[in-house]
């Protein structure tokens, strides 16, 4: 799963958007790759929770971060649809404005994905430390008996 997410991120981050012949197609591909990476993080969080590697509270926090990503992604998708419509109608000036907004927005979508991934990583680290501390305390109390 980590390899899939990593590959998706590499493609999404390396896909150049400016100067492309088919901006709409490349933007759609970028959004799809970011969505695959998002889905991978959410799946990883669910698996981590199932295997007792993160708490339910942490899982919910990760899902909240996932919803923030979803909101920004949906905005990008709506803008892309507007761009395609304006291009089809020959409204080049308006389409260029939407295009620039999309170019400016995609780093925010990537940032939200990064925050989601960090939330998962932090949750796993924090929960592991808590479990190790509890096991240490349990062993310390057992050795006193």
């Amino acid at each position: 799963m980590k390899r899939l997410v990593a590959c998706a991120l590499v493609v999404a981050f390396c896909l150049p958007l400016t100067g492309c012949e088919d901006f709409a197609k490349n933007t759609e591909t970028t959004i799809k790759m970011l969505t695959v990476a998002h889905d991978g993080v959410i799946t990883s969080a669910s698996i981590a929770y199932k295997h007792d590697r993160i708490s339910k509270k942490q899982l919910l926090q990760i899902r909240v971060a996932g919803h923030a990503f979803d909101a920004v992604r949906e905005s990008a998708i709506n803008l892309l649809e507007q761009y395609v419509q304006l291009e089809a109608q020959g409204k080049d000036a308006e389409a260029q404005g939407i295009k620039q907004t999309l170019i400016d927005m995609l780093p925010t979508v990537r940032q939200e994905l990064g925050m989601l991934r960090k939330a998962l990583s932090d949750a796993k680290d924090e929960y592991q430390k808590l479990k190790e501390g509890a096991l240490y305390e349990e062993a310390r109390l057992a050795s006193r008996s």
Side-chain angles (χ1 to χ4, degrees):
M1 181 59 64
K2 286 183 182 179
R3 288 184 183 155
L4 174 66
V5 172
C7 289
L9 286 174
V10 167
V11 171
F13 289 142
C14 294
L15 186 65
L17 292 176
T18 56
C20 294
E21 288 182 17
D22 194 357
F23 174 78
K25 183 177 179 182
N26 289 332
T27 302
E28 181 182 6
T29 300
T30 298
I31 292 170
K32 284 180 182 179
M33 297 310 293
L34 291 168
T35 300
V36 168
H38 162 270
D39 294 348
V41 173
I42 295 297
T43 300
S44 293
S46 296
I47 292 170
Y49 173 71
K50 182 179 176 183
H51 293 295
D52 197 32
R53 298 188 197 268
I54 63 173
S55 68
K56 185 170 186 137
K57 179 181 176 184
Q58 290 166 325
L59 176 65
L60 293 175
Q61 290 171 339
I62 291 165
R63 287 187 176 162
V64 167
H67 292 308
F69 170 85
D70 288 337
V72 175
R73 181 191 58 200
E74 287 300 315
S75 294
I77 290 169
N78 291 336
L79 283 171
L80 180 59
E81 289 172 355
Q82 289 176 19
Y83 171 79
V84 169
Q85 288 175 354
L86 290 170
E87 279 276 306
Q89 295 170 358
K91 298 180 179 179
D92 294 334
E94 293 172 13
Q96 290 306 311
I98 298 288
K99 179 179 180 178
Q100 189 57 51
T101 303
L102 269 167
I103 290 170
D104 294 343
M105 178 181 262
L106 285 176
T108 304
V109 179
R110 290 183 183 118
Q111 181 181 9
E112 288 295 334
L113 179 62
M115 292 173 68
L116 175 61
R117 292 181 70 225
K118 185 175 180 343
L120 175 60
S121 177
D122 290 350
K124 286 181 178 179
D125 291 346
E126 180 184 330
Y127 201 64
Q128 187 62 33
K129 287 176 186 174
L130 286 173
K131 283 187 77 173
E132 287 172 359
L135 291 174
Y136 171 77
E137 187 63 26
E138 188 177 302
R140 190 175 69 82
L141 292 174
S143 67
R144 285 186 169 177
S145 301

